[in-house]
PDB file of all heavy atoms in Angstrom:
ATOM      1  N   PRO A  61     -24.428 -37.990  13.975  1.00 90.00           N
ATOM      2  CA  PRO A  61     -25.761 -38.390  13.500  1.00 90.00           C
ATOM      3  C   PRO A  61     -25.652 -39.276  12.265  1.00 90.00           C
ATOM      4  O   PRO A  61     -24.580 -39.411  11.680  1.00 90.00           O
ATOM      5  CB  PRO A  61     -26.419 -37.045  13.158  1.00 90.00           C
ATOM      6  CG  PRO A  61     -25.275 -36.157  12.805  1.00 90.00           C
ATOM      7  CD  PRO A  61     -24.137 -36.567  13.703  1.00 90.00           C
ATOM      8  N   VAL A  62     -26.765 -39.858  11.894  1.00 93.00           N
ATOM      9  CA  VAL A  62     -26.920 -40.708  10.690  1.00 93.00           C
ATOM     10  C   VAL A  62     -26.189 -42.031  10.853  1.00 93.00           C
ATOM     11  O   VAL A  62     -26.798 -43.101  10.814  1.00 93.00           O
ATOM     12  CB  VAL A  62     -26.473 -39.983   9.403  1.00 93.00           C
ATOM     13  CG1 VAL A  62     -26.757 -40.870   8.185  1.00 93.00           C
ATOM     14  CG2 VAL A  62     -27.149 -38.630   9.262  1.00 93.00           C
ATOM     15  N   LEU A  63     -24.855 -41.980  11.008  1.00 93.00           N
ATOM     16  CA  LEU A  63     -24.070 -43.196  11.222  1.00 93.00           C
ATOM     17  C   LEU A  63     -22.876 -42.817  12.090  1.00 93.00           C
ATOM     18  O   LEU A  63     -22.096 -41.939  11.730  1.00 93.00           O
ATOM     19  CB  LEU A  63     -23.598 -43.775   9.886  1.00 93.00           C
ATOM     20  CG  LEU A  63     -22.904 -45.148   9.948  1.00 93.00           C
ATOM     21  CD1 LEU A  63     -23.917 -46.245  10.290  1.00 93.00           C
ATOM     22  CD2 LEU A  63     -22.220 -45.466   8.622  1.00 93.00           C
ATOM     23  N   ASP A  64     -22.741 -43.462  13.257  1.00 91.00           N
ATOM     24  CA  ASP A  64     -21.649 -43.078  14.155  1.00 91.00           C
ATOM     25  C   ASP A  64     -20.308 -43.618  13.666  1.00 91.00           C
ATOM     26  O   ASP A  64     -20.234 -44.406  12.719  1.00 91.00           O
ATOM     27  CB  ASP A  64     -21.938 -43.510  15.595  1.00 91.00           C
ATOM     28  CG  ASP A  64     -21.969 -45.021  15.782  1.00 91.00           C
ATOM     29  OD1 ASP A  64     -21.125 -45.722  15.202  1.00 91.00           O
ATOM     30  OD2 ASP A  64     -22.836 -45.510  16.540  1.00 91.00           O
ATOM     31  N   GLY A  65     -19.243 -43.185  14.344  1.00 92.00           N
ATOM     32  CA  GLY A  65     -17.903 -43.530  13.899  1.00 92.00           C
ATOM     33  C   GLY A  65     -17.583 -45.009  13.978  1.00 92.00           C
ATOM     34  O   GLY A  65     -16.927 -45.560  13.090  1.00 92.00           O
ATOM     35  N   ILE A  66     -18.029 -45.674  15.053  1.00 91.00           N
ATOM     36  CA  ILE A  66     -17.753 -47.104  15.203  1.00 91.00           C
ATOM     37  C   ILE A  66     -18.374 -47.892  14.054  1.00 91.00           C
ATOM     38  O   ILE A  66     -17.732 -48.737  13.427  1.00 91.00           O
ATOM     39  CB  ILE A  66     -18.298 -47.622  16.549  1.00 91.00           C
ATOM     40  CG1 ILE A  66     -17.576 -46.948  17.723  1.00 91.00           C
ATOM     41  CG2 ILE A  66     -18.159 -49.135  16.633  1.00 91.00           C
ATOM     42  CD1 ILE A  66     -16.177 -47.396  17.969  1.00 91.00           C
ATOM     43  N   ALA A  67     -19.649 -47.614  13.758  1.00 93.00           N
ATOM     44  CA  ALA A  67     -20.341 -48.318  12.672  1.00 93.00           C
ATOM     45  C   ALA A  67     -19.707 -47.993  11.326  1.00 93.00           C
ATOM     46  O   ALA A  67     -19.547 -48.875  10.468  1.00 93.00           O
ATOM     47  CB  ALA A  67     -21.822 -47.940  12.667  1.00 93.00           C
ATOM     48  N   ALA A  68     -19.326 -46.727  11.119  1.00 95.00           N
ATOM     49  CA  ALA A  68     -18.696 -46.340   9.858  1.00 95.00           C
ATOM     50  C   ALA A  68     -17.363 -47.046   9.680  1.00 95.00           C
ATOM     51  O   ALA A  68     -17.029 -47.508   8.581  1.00 95.00           O
ATOM     52  CB  ALA A  68     -18.503 -44.827   9.815  1.00 95.00           C
ATOM     53  N   CYS A  69     -16.596 -47.148  10.771  1.00 94.00           N
ATOM     54  CA  CYS A  69     -15.304 -47.832  10.709  1.00 94.00           C
ATOM     55  C   CYS A  69     -15.477 -49.292  10.314  1.00 94.00           C
ATOM     56  O   CYS A  69     -14.743 -49.816   9.477  1.00 94.00           O
ATOM     57  CB  CYS A  69     -14.598 -47.714  12.056  1.00 94.00           C
ATOM     58  SG  CYS A  69     -12.939 -48.421  12.093  1.00 94.00           S
ATOM     59  N   ARG A  70     -16.452 -49.944  10.922  1.00 92.00           N
ATOM     60  CA  ARG A  70     -16.701 -51.350  10.585  1.00 92.00           C
ATOM     61  C   ARG A  70     -17.044 -51.508   9.100  1.00 92.00           C
ATOM     62  O   ARG A  70     -16.559 -52.426   8.422  1.00 92.00           O
ATOM     63  CB  ARG A  70     -17.834 -51.905  11.444  1.00 92.00           C
ATOM     64  CG  ARG A  70     -17.472 -52.098  12.901  1.00 92.00           C
ATOM     65  CD  ARG A  70     -18.458 -53.021  13.586  1.00 92.00           C
ATOM     66  NE  ARG A  70     -18.175 -53.133  15.014  1.00 92.00           N
ATOM     67  CZ  ARG A  70     -18.849 -52.511  15.966  1.00 92.00           C
ATOM     68  NH1 ARG A  70     -19.874 -51.723  15.639  1.00 92.00           N
ATOM     69  NH2 ARG A  70     -18.535 -52.666  17.234  1.00 92.00           N
ATOM     70  N   GLU A  71     -17.899 -50.632   8.594  1.00 94.00           N
ATOM     71  CA  GLU A  71     -18.272 -50.710   7.177  1.00 94.00           C
ATOM     72  C   GLU A  71     -17.066 -50.490   6.274  1.00 94.00           C
ATOM     73  O   GLU A  71     -16.880 -51.192   5.281  1.00 94.00           O
ATOM     74  CB  GLU A  71     -19.376 -49.693   6.861  1.00 94.00           C
ATOM     75  CG  GLU A  71     -20.733 -50.065   7.406  1.00 94.00           C
ATOM     76  CD  GLU A  71     -21.866 -49.292   6.739  1.00 94.00           C
ATOM     77  OE1 GLU A  71     -21.710 -48.913   5.556  1.00 94.00           O
ATOM     78  OE2 GLU A  71     -22.895 -49.073   7.398  1.00 94.00           O
ATOM     79  N   LEU A  72     -16.246 -49.506   6.619  1.00 94.00           N
ATOM     80  CA  LEU A  72     -15.060 -49.212   5.808  1.00 94.00           C
ATOM     81  C   LEU A  72     -14.099 -50.398   5.797  1.00 94.00           C
ATOM     82  O   LEU A  72     -13.542 -50.739   4.751  1.00 94.00           O
ATOM     83  CB  LEU A  72     -14.354 -47.968   6.357  1.00 94.00           C
ATOM     84  CG  LEU A  72     -15.056 -46.633   6.090  1.00 94.00           C
ATOM     85  CD1 LEU A  72     -14.502 -45.547   7.011  1.00 94.00           C
ATOM     86  CD2 LEU A  72     -14.912 -46.220   4.629  1.00 94.00           C
TER      87      LEU A  72
END
Side-chain angles (χ1 to χ4, degrees):
V62 184
L63 187 70
D64 66 41
I66 296 287
C69 184
R70 289 197 184 102
E71 287 198 29
L72 287 163

